[in-house]
């Protein structure tokens, strides 16, 4: 904010008469000195700490380091809590509450005497929710994610959170891993503070926040317990004051070019399919034109450079030591728009100029990539998904990327889970497993159930993957030939609602096609017989969500939250 501009917080703290007396006097019960109300920038620290969100449970300590930086730079730090979304514990799914958290962040920022904001996030949905809320207000903002856990260690090998959960669970179901071994692995996987250390959604969104220009350079990959993360937190606090002094706001950073960069970076990372719905929703908050098809067209010529689980071998700790995201950004070079501004005050190209790469196995070169161009998330179209579906090529089985098989259909994921152990389940390796009513409105909340467990009968036969199709999402740590986000979803009458067991379905990832081989006359007859499922709720947040949530191809935000509202202060109540 230029020095000639009155700070926004002055409307509270510089007010005369009764209102100013109220604002200042109540703040003094915290022991603030007189001069903290002298017009210096007030920096809000939006903290998603919660012991119910294990990934974010260390953020109170990180906030203290941010405060040091704010004080150093001449600002006044004021920490406040935000809603927290813990992926391992919340039911039915944290995605049901992403938009609620974004609303809460937005309204808390707007309603309070803040000039700038530091966002402290970590677990999957906390990062996009905070970015969405802050972008809708538009105050100068910088994010700091909490960092990944250290690598899990089990019997001399590294363990990856999430990814090895799915793998070990299938091994145990197939009888190749004992209960004692599973219990031992459980205690070895999450051995430090931080979010998932695989390239799951938490790590993906941390990297994309940096790629978008909303985190300081190198912030995404440093482990949560590394002292350098606390030094980075202090630097973030200092930089927050600088952003206010310069009046550098999210709208100047989160441009179409920045989103193009983020899509390309996600492809280079082998990042989570969840990045699609989060980037679409964030772009919608800013009025930036972004479509589902952009995720395919912009990523087609981008190779996967990073050898990380679930697509590869290594973990985020290895990635950090190899050079982290700056090394990837530098290697991508002319595939990125390097002239876009960032919260550092410099362009993204300037931020990573000269960034080293210390390990050529973890971070590959464009000339010798981990996977060839087009191996990231692709967008499918066809009669089964007229508004699109997504498939992560790097996590799929090559033999299944072109496949034709008969459908085995379940209306709810619970219905499938109840029978997946049945030795007489009518499946073989060619079967296409379809689970529906798990989209934004159908579940409700768009859960991460798209990587359904394999049928036991196939696992025991040595078959570890099959084509699975749903209107659900998949954990970023998950893997398999899983077609996700099928739109329109079944709950609103999309073609997925009309599939019947025995129908032929064809997938051709190379041609970007997903088709239901049923004639139009038969589909019309089925459509006439179809009735929508009853609403999941008639009151409260879930009712509001059901009435207004958008489809997956639009980002699954609420329709009345697209576009920002600015930082205008409402009418004073005193």
């Amino acid at each position: 904010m230029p020095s000639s501009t009155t700070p926004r917080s002055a409307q509270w703290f510089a007010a005369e008469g009764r209102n100013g007396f109220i604002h200042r006097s109540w703040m003094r019960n915290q022991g603030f000195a007189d001069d903290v109300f002298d017009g210096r920038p007030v920096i809000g620290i939006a903290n998603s700490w919660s012991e119910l969100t294990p990934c974010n449970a260390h953020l109170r300590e990180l906030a203290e380091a941010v405060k040091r930086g704010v004080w150093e730079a001449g600002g006044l730090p004021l920490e406040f809590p935000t809603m927290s979304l813990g992926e391992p514990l919340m039911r039915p799914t944290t995605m049901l509450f992403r938009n609620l958290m974004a609303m809460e962040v937005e309204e808390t920022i707007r309603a309070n005497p803040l000039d700038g904001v530091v966002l402290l996030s970590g677990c999957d949905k906390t990062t996009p929710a905070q970015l969405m809320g802050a972008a809708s207000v538009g105050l100068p903002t910088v994010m700091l994610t909490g960092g990944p856990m250290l690598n899990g260690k089990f019997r001399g090998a590294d363990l990856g959170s999430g990814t090895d959960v799915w793998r070990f669970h299938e091994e145990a179901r197939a009888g190749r891993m004992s209960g004692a071994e599973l219990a031992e692995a459980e205690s070895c996987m999450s051995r430090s503070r931080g979010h998932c250390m695989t390239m799951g959604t938490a790590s993906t969104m941390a990297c994309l926040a940096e790629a978008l220009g909303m985190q300081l350079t190198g912030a995404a990959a440093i482990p949560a317990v590394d002292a350098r993360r606390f030094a980075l937190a202090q630097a973030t606090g200092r930089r927050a004051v600088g952003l206010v002094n310069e009046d550098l706001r999210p709208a100047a950073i989160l441009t179409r070019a920045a989103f193009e960069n983020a899509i390309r970076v996600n492809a280079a990372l082998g990042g989570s399919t969840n990045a699609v719905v989060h980037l679409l929703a964030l772009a919608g908050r800013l009025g930036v034109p972004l479509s589902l098809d952009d995720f395919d067209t912009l990523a087609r010529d981008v190779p996967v450079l990073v050898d990380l689980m679930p697509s590869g071998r290594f973990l985020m700790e290895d990635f950090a030591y190899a050079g982290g995201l700056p090394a990837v950004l530098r290697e991508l070079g002319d595939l990125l728009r390097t002239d876009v501004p960032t919260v550092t005050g410099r362009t993204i190209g300037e931020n990573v100029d000269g960034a080293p790469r210390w390990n050529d196995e973890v971070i590959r070169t464009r000339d010798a990539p981990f996977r060839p161009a087009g191996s990231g998330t692709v967008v499918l179209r066809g009669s089964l998904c007229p508004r699109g579906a997504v498939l992560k090529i790097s996590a799929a089985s090559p033999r299944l990327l072109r496949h034709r098989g008969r459908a085995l259909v379940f209306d709810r994921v619970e219905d499938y889970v109840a029978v997946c152990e049945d030795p007489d389940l009518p499946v073989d390796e060619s079967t296409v497993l379809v689970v529906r009513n798990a989209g934004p409105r159908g579940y409700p909340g768009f859960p991460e159930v798209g990587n359904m467990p394999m049928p036991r009968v196939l696992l025991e036969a040595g078959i570890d993957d099959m084509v699975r199709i749903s209107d659900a999402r998949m954990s970023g740590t998950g893997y398999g030939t899983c077609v996700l986000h099928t739109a329109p979803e079944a709950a609103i009458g999309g073609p997925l609602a009309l599939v019947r067991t025995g129908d032929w379905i064809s997938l051709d990832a190379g041609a970007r096609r997903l088709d239901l081989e049923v004639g139009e006359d038969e589909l019309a007859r089925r459509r006439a017989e179809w009735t929508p499922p009853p609403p999941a709720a008639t009151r409260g947040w879930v009712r509001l969500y059901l009435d207004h949530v958008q489809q997956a191809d639009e980002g699954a935000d609420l329709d009345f939250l697209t576009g920002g509202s600015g930082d205008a202060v409402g009418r004073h109540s005193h």
Side-chain angles (χ1 to χ4, degrees):
M1 192 174 293
S3 58
S4 60
T5 303
T6 302
R8 179 177 180 271
S9 59
Q11 298 176 61
W12 283 264
F13 296 138
E16 297 181 357
R18 182 180 64 181
N19 288 340
F21 182 94
I22 290 170
H23 298 317
R24 293 186 296 271
S25 65
W26 258 267
M27 289 296 287
R28 289 178 188 274
N29 81 348
Q30 300 179 74
F32 290 122
D34 292 349
D35 59 359
V36 302
F37 305 113
D38 60 5
R40 68 185 65 195
V42 178
I43 305 299
I45 302 173
N47 196 343
S48 59
W49 168 87
S50 171
E51 290 181 342
L52 291 169
T53 307
C55 305
N56 297 22
H58 63 298
L59 293 186
R60 285 193 297 186
E61 298 164 47
L62 212 57
E64 292 303 315
V66 173
K67 289 176 186 178
R68 289 201 303 268
V70 174
W71 285 118
E72 276 184 325
L76 169 60
L78 297 176
E79 181 184 355
F80 62 92
T82 74
M83 189 176 184
S84 195
L85 307 178
E87 199 69 40
L89 301 182
M90 289 189 80
R91 294 179 180 177
T93 168
T94 56
M95 190 61 179
L96 179 61
F97 305 106
R98 182 201 64 179
N99 301 336
L100 179 61
M101 182 179 177
M103 288 178 70
E104 187 218 32
V105 169
E106 174 182 349
E107 300 303 339
T108 302
I109 292 172
R110 183 181 294 109
N112 282 288
L114 305 176
D115 302 305
V117 185
V118 176
L119 305 174
L120 295 184
S121 71
C123 196
D124 296 17
K125 311 306 178 295
T126 61
T127 297
Q130 286 191 336
L131 285 172
M132 289 160 64
S136 292
V137 184
L139 292 180
T141 300
V142 58
M143 171 161 270
L144 178 62
T145 51
M149 294 184 283
L150 298 176
N151 292 0
K153 298 288 183 179
F154 175 62
R155 297 187 174 182
D158 283 347
L159 284 188
S161 52
T163 301
D164 280 319
V165 172
W166 318 129
R167 181 170 66 88
F168 287 166
H169 181 246
E170 300 291 60
E171 289 287 294
R173 291 178 61 227
R176 294 188 290 267
M177 191 173 190
S178 70
E181 289 173 318
L182 200 62
E184 182 184 349
E186 179 183 314
S187 65
C188 297
M189 182 171 292
S190 303
R191 66 187 189 93
S192 83
R193 298 178 177 192
H195 60 66
C196 281
M197 81 302 263
T198 49
M199 188 53 74
T201 305
S203 295
T204 297
M205 294 311 300
C207 288
L208 296 190
E210 185 177 333
L212 285 165
M214 292 300 293
Q215 288 213 77
L216 297 187
T217 307
I222 298 172
V225 294
D226 194 311
R228 291 173 294 175
R229 180 153 296 278
F230 292 85
L232 187 71
Q234 188 168 347
T236 299
R238 288 198 297 262
R239 186 58 196 145
V241 177
L243 290 172
V244 174
N245 291 333
E246 298 161 24
D247 197 26
L248 183 55
R249 297 172 181 251
I253 296 169
L254 296 172
T255 61
R256 165 75 188 192
F259 282 97
E260 290 180 2
N261 283 347
I263 291 172
R264 289 177 174 268
V265 168
N266 188 56
L269 295 172
S272 170
T273 51
N274 289 307
V276 176
V277 291
H278 296 323
L279 290 179
L280 286 170
L282 180 58
R285 294 297 184 101
L286 293 146
V288 172
L290 197 70
S291 72
L292 179 61
D293 288 331
D294 287 328
F295 288 82
D296 196 302
T297 57
L298 289 168
R300 278 183 182 248
D301 58 349
V302 181
V304 179
L305 300 181
V306 181
D307 184 354
L308 252 66
M309 293 184 193
S311 299
R313 298 174 293 162
F314 297 102
L315 296 165
M316 286 295 287
E317 186 180 352
D318 309 304
F319 182 52
Y321 305 153
L325 192 70
V328 175
L329 295 176
R330 185 185 180 200
E331 184 61 29
L332 286 173
D334 60 5
L335 289 175
L336 299 180
R337 291 281 299 274
T338 57
D339 59 340
V340 298
T342 71
V343 290
T344 67
R346 301 184 299 168
T347 67
I348 198 163
E350 292 170 335
N351 287 343
V352 303
D353 184 33
R357 184 179 66 251
W358 301 114
N359 188 321
D360 291 340
E361 276 194 273
V362 178
I363 303 174
R364 309 292 181 87
T365 65
R366 284 169 60 181
D367 293 336
F370 173 57
R371 297 281 176 85
S375 297
T377 298
V378 301
V379 176
L380 308 173
R381 298 278 181 177
S383 62
L384 194 51
C385 54
R387 287 176 55 175
V390 301
L391 171 66
K392 186 174 177 181
I393 297 293
S394 61
S397 299
R399 64 183 171 83
L400 293 174
L401 292 176
R402 187 171 184 181
H403 182 79
R404 183 172 180 265
R406 290 192 180 274
L408 178 62
V409 182
F410 294 89
D411 285 331
R412 302 185 313 143
V413 67
E414 293 84 358
D415 295 339
Y416 169 66
V417 171
V419 300
C420 70
E421 305 291 329
D422 186 347
D424 297 320
L425 193 68
V427 293
D428 59 33
E429 59 185 327
S430 70
T431 301
V432 175
L433 183 60
V434 175
V435 171
R436 59 192 173 203
N437 297 311
R441 286 175 61 179
Y443 197 67
F446 207 9
E448 293 182 343
V449 297
N451 56 326
M452 292 82 75
M454 288 285 293
R456 178 188 284 272
V457 65
L458 295 185
L459 287 175
E460 291 178 343
I463 299 165
D464 60 1
D465 195 12
M466 66 189 302
V467 175
R468 286 161 274 182
I469 300 172
S470 72
D471 43 15
R473 297 179 302 112
M474 177 175 76
S475 168
T477 66
Y479 54 88
T481 310
C482 302
V483 177
L484 310 160
H485 308 186
T486 305
E489 64 175 303
I492 65 168
L496 201 65
L498 308 180
V499 183
R500 294 187 177 176
T501 293
D503 288 346
W504 286 98
I505 293 176
S506 61
L507 165 67
D508 188 338
R512 305 297 195 263
R513 295 291 304 181
L514 180 67
D515 289 293
L516 174 62
E517 299 179 10
V518 176
E520 282 300 320
D521 289 346
E522 173 62 15
L523 287 178
R525 187 181 68 80
R526 294 181 188 181
R527 191 172 290 109
E529 295 174 352
W530 179 80
T531 56
T538 57
R539 62 176 300 279
W541 164 249
V542 178
R543 167 64 185 274
L544 182 66
Y545 174 92
L546 291 172
D547 287 349
H548 294 282
V549 70
Q550 298 174 316
Q551 287 295 286
D553 62 308
E554 300 169 306
D557 201 358
L558 302 189
D559 53 20
F560 59 80
L561 291 176
T562 56
S565 301
D567 65 354
V569 180
R571 179 173 295 180
H572 208 293
S573 61
H574 296 298

